[in-house]
Amino acid sequence: MIDLEENIRKTNHSREQRNYFANLILDNPELLPQLLAICHQVDDEISCRASWGLEFLCKKRLDAILPYLDSFTEILPKVHQHPAVRPMAKICEYLIIAYYKEKNPIVQESLTTPYREKITEACFDWLISDQKVAAKAYSMTSLYLLGTEFDWVHPELKVTLENNYHQGSAAYKARSRMILKKL
């Protein structure tokens, strides 16, 4: 029997460790609901470590999370620790790119309008709150693509990026310029 929590607590931020952890879940898919439950422990550092593993899992096999979109999207508005927000924002970006750019039929079937709306809300929250630049950059990309469907998103995104541009870091400004050019 695999003690998932113990494995998570031993995981560090190294690429090798996160990759090992993603493979552990891929080899034991019955652990994915437990992994998501640990991600829900948003006030505990273990949720950050679990989120790192979840991100790598989704990078390798995005379809693995599709049956658990209820649980995943329920976590999004609750995540607040920077080390957990970044991987959650990245997973959202993976999903949104697969849906809109790659037009992955499995993702398009699974990622229903209510899920896309929850991702939209989370991305705007991360964009306007005190998050690190990576989460904001992933959110910008997701929101730009979501705005191709939801007509209110692009005007809100434009205003948000223009209003926050001058306080942003160099990386924030670079991504903002890229998105603003597309708008």
Side-chain angles (χ1 to χ4, degrees):
M1 177 97 173
I2 297 169
D3 185 344
L4 184 60
E5 198 164 316
E6 182 181 327
N7 272 280
I8 292 171
R9 291 203 186 275
K10 287 193 274 182
T11 301
N12 62 37
H13 201 262
S14 74
R15 185 169 290 280
E16 296 78 25
Q17 283 287 307
R18 291 180 291 162
N19 198 39
Y20 163 80
F21 186 75
N23 287 329
L24 175 70
I25 301 298
L26 284 173
D27 293 342
N28 302 278
E30 71 279 3
L31 295 175
L32 190 49
Q34 186 182 353
L35 174 62
L36 286 162
I38 294 169
C39 289
H40 269 273
Q41 299 173 24
V42 296
D43 294 324
D44 190 328
E45 183 191 325
I46 194 169
S47 74
C48 300
R49 295 173 184 271
S51 297
W52 302 338
L54 184 62
E55 177 198 346
F56 260 56
L57 171 70
C58 290
K59 183 178 182 179
K60 287 175 169 261
R61 289 257 333 268
L62 186 58
D63 63 307
I65 198 164
L66 297 178
Y68 304 99
L69 287 173
D70 279 335
S71 182
F72 175 72
T73 57
E74 188 181 303
I75 299 168
L76 298 178
K78 299 173 185 167
V79 175
H80 59 89
Q81 295 187 61
H82 293 300
V85 171
R86 192 207 62 73
M88 291 299 182
K90 185 64 176 174
I91 294 167
C92 289
E93 185 185 60
Y94 289 150
L95 288 165
I96 296 304
I97 287 172
Y99 186 93
Y100 290 101
K101 278 180 106 172
E102 298 167 359
K103 300 194 183 313
N104 179 313
I106 298 165
V107 174
Q108 287 184 320
E109 183 179 321
S110 300
L111 196 63
T112 61
T113 300
Y115 294 137
R116 294 192 310 278
E117 288 171 345
K118 288 179 181 181
I119 289 172
T120 303
E121 290 173 29
C123 287
F124 265 117
D125 286 346
W126 295 328
L127 191 57
I128 63 174
S129 63
D130 182 27
Q131 299 298 332
K132 297 199 174 178
V133 73
K136 289 178 182 267
Y138 301 145
S139 295
M140 286 180 212
T141 300
S142 294
L143 289 167
Y144 172 75
L145 292 170
L146 286 156
T148 62
E149 177 182 5
F150 302 114
D151 59 358
W152 65 271
V153 172
H154 281 171
E156 288 295 319
L157 179 59
K158 184 177 182 183
V159 167
T160 302
L161 294 179
E162 288 172 348
N163 287 344
N164 296 327
Y165 185 82
H166 296 292
Q167 300 112 260
S169 67
Y172 179 91
K173 288 177 180 179
R175 181 63 66 98
S176 289
R177 278 191 305 272
M178 185 181 82
I179 298 293
L180 286 167
K181 280 182 188 175
K182 293 178 180 183
L183 297 173

